[in-house]
Amino acid sequence: MKQRTVVSTVLVAALALAGCGSAAGTRSSPGGSAGKLVVWDWKSGEPTAAAYLQKAKADFARKHPDVTVEFVAQPYEQYYTLLGTAIQAGKGPDVILFNGGGQLRDRTDALLPLDEYVAEDRQRLAGWEAFTKGGKTYAGPVTLQGHPIYYNRTLYDKAGLDPAKPATTWPEFVANCATLTQRTGAKCLALGNKEGFGIQFFLSAFGTGVLTPQEQDAWIAGKRDWTSPHVKRIFALWKETQDAKLNSDGANSTAMFNDAFAIFQSAKAAHVIGLMSDVGHWKDFSEFVPAEKLGVMRAPVVEPGATPNLPFDGGIGYGVATWTKDPKVAADLVRSLTSTDALKSFYADAGAIAADTTIDVSQGGPAVATIVADLKAGKPALHVALSSKTLDLMGRLSQQLLSGSISVDEAVKQLAASDQAG
């Protein structure tokens, strides 16, 4: 769904992806008045969010009975374009849903810092870092979003592999993939990169098996060394998986949401880098892959010194626009949208790993148990640290790497220039 979430980006732009379902609804709505707040999101039209929003609105109504709330579900594919128009006009919704990371950080000029309003929620909620810039917090986290590597235990059984012992090194992983394909006909990895999102998930998931913990920390802190052999190794690995035919067919023409996930669900691929919340995650997969047959593994070690971990951040969260008429009232709505009772419903109905660390997830199945256990050692997803501009470029370059029309050195050189330009 990392800063201690999340997909977020989901994605980043994807991370959000993490909750990339689009909901039909009014595409524009003026901001609220003294007695009304307008909320923009892409979730409120979804049935799985109904109970969550009902509880959040009830909590807010107890505090502000004279203030009405209007939710406007925008189509996700156009969400940030529509929001950009509102920001340029200096008017629009009072409360705004964001993916954690670059999508929020690129727009903090239009948001109010919330630190003075959310101090009481700091310990209860995780994922704050994804909604922070310059030491200030601009949104309250709703979900945690990250990128577990899911695998199909049934395929492991059929291939004669031990589903309780997934590969821990890259050579072992490649060998297992060959066995899986030979004995079951399934590809190793389900990959969708039509929108350029696949590379984001790959960077964050498999990157933890390449970079050392110190390199990961430096990357997240903005001290990215694009000349590092380990950084280049990640993008070389991306190309190698294609050249070795580990990926599902037609990755550059396959949409991640939700075609790539469908490949995994239909047992045509043994592994997929998915999400923790919203879509492409444990609850989604349970319709076709029973909970007891769904495994979660950390990335295999590719380079010595790497310590694979679960990449996750704040997934999605609500911020307050600078033009809202009463910031405290709008911030109270954010607090209601991140309240425990509301988030319990979001977890139960949507399968979201909520940002609220007090929620009991013990009945969610073994995959959820593994994910939650791995949160303690997890680190922010690598792609979430990049700007939306650099992520867009990375998506295009990743497609060229898969097609063989650009070299790893040239791709990394362009990414370094974009990242350093800010």
Side-chain angles (χ1 to χ4, degrees):
M1 121 174 187
K2 42 240 75 137
Q3 300 245 58
R4 260 346 142 234
T5 172
V6 300
V7 226
S8 80
T9 294
V10 259
L11 273 99
V12 149
L15 204 24
L17 286 188
C20 273
S22 64
T26 306
R27 294 197 176 187
S28 63
S29 179
S33 60
K36 176 182 177 182
L37 291 175
V38 174
V39 182
W40 275 17
D41 62 19
W42 61 87
K43 303 296 296 180
S44 55
E46 299 179 5
T48 55
Y52 157 65
L53 293 176
Q54 183 179 19
K55 289 187 177 181
K57 288 189 284 187
D59 181 79
F60 180 76
R62 285 191 289 270
K63 293 178 282 189
H64 300 282
D66 298 327
V67 180
T68 60
V69 178
E70 177 190 359
F71 282 85
V72 181
Q74 303 285 11
Y76 185 82
E77 295 83 354
Q78 302 172 44
Y79 186 77
Y80 288 106
T81 299
L82 295 170
L83 182 57
T85 300
I87 290 173
Q88 286 185 339
K91 57 183 180 181
D94 300 278
V95 175
I96 307 166
L97 183 63
F98 282 95
N99 294 110
Q103 296 291 13
L104 175 129
R105 294 191 185 114
D106 289 351
R107 297 167 174 85
T108 52
D109 287 348
L111 298 174
L112 293 173
L114 299 181
D115 301 87
E116 66 178 295
Y117 305 112
V118 299
E120 294 180 21
D121 302 324
R122 286 286 180 183
Q123 296 302 312
R124 178 176 59 86
L125 299 175
W128 293 100
E129 188 180 344
F131 304 104
T132 301
K133 181 179 180 180
K136 296 180 179 179
T137 303
Y138 290 93
V142 173
T143 65
L144 300 182
Q145 190 57 281
H147 305 283
I149 302 174
Y150 294 98
Y151 64 96
N152 188 319
R153 289 171 173 264
T154 298
L155 288 177
Y156 269 57
D157 281 329
K158 289 182 178 179
L161 299 173
D162 186 348
K165 296 180 179 180
T168 58
T169 68
W170 183 252
E172 183 185 2
F173 181 74
V174 173
N176 283 357
C177 287
T179 300
L180 282 160
T181 299
Q182 180 183 13
R183 297 181 181 177
T184 71
K187 290 287 189 176
C188 181
L189 286 165
L191 178 62
N193 199 48
K194 183 178 182 179
E195 312 91 337
F197 295 152
I199 184 60
Q200 295 182 25
F201 286 33
F202 188 93
L203 168 63
S204 288
F206 282 100
T208 70
V210 178
L211 303 182
T212 66
Q214 294 76 20
E215 288 173 325
Q216 289 185 57
D217 292 343
W219 178 286
I220 296 301
K223 300 174 183 178
R224 290 178 280 279
D225 181 5
W226 289 93
T227 65
S228 163
H230 284 174
V231 172
K232 291 185 179 180
R233 181 70 178 113
I234 297 172
F235 293 92
L237 201 68
W238 167 259
K239 178 173 171 53
E240 287 174 20
T241 59
Q242 180 72 7
D243 294 344
K245 301 186 185 303
L246 302 186
N247 298 329
S248 51
D249 295 336
N252 276 344
S253 59
T254 302
M256 174 177 286
F257 300 94
N258 284 313
D259 295 345
F261 298 133
I263 292 172
F264 175 73
Q265 288 175 300
S266 61
K268 294 178 180 177
H271 308 83
V272 69
I273 305 170
L275 295 165
M276 283 165 48
S277 300
D278 291 328
V279 297
H281 69 317
W282 56 276
K283 189 160 188 174
D284 260 6
F285 297 150
S286 66
E287 183 178 355
F288 299 97
V289 184
E292 68 276 9
K293 295 299 183 180
L294 181 65
V296 172
M297 61 180 284
R298 294 188 185 184
V301 173
V302 180
E303 294 292 333
T307 304
N309 54 77
L310 174 66
F312 80 100
D313 295 271
I316 56 175
Y318 285 96
V320 175
T322 55
W323 52 76
T324 193
K325 294 180 173 60
D326 192 329
K328 184 180 185 307
V329 173
D332 278 348
L333 179 56
V334 170
R335 296 194 66 201
S336 293
L337 287 162
T338 57
S339 62
T340 297
D341 281 349
L343 292 180
K344 282 182 180 177
S345 291
F346 204 29
Y347 161 73
D349 297 345
I353 302 297
D356 192 317
T357 58
T358 69
I359 295 175
D360 180 12
V361 300
S362 60
Q363 302 304 309
V368 178
T370 301
I371 290 170
V372 172
D374 281 351
L375 291 175
K376 293 180 181 179
K379 289 179 178 285
L382 299 174
H383 77 267
V384 177
L386 302 176
S387 69
S388 55
K389 178 181 178 181
T390 299
L391 288 171
D392 287 344
L393 174 62
M394 187 168 69
R396 296 192 297 272
L397 293 173
S398 72
Q399 294 171 333
Q400 294 175 43
L401 284 169
L402 292 185
S403 67
S405 59
I406 193 172
S407 68
V408 171
D409 285 345
E410 178 59 27
V412 171
K413 178 181 178 181
Q414 291 189 36
L415 288 169
S418 175
D419 186 36
Q420 292 160 8

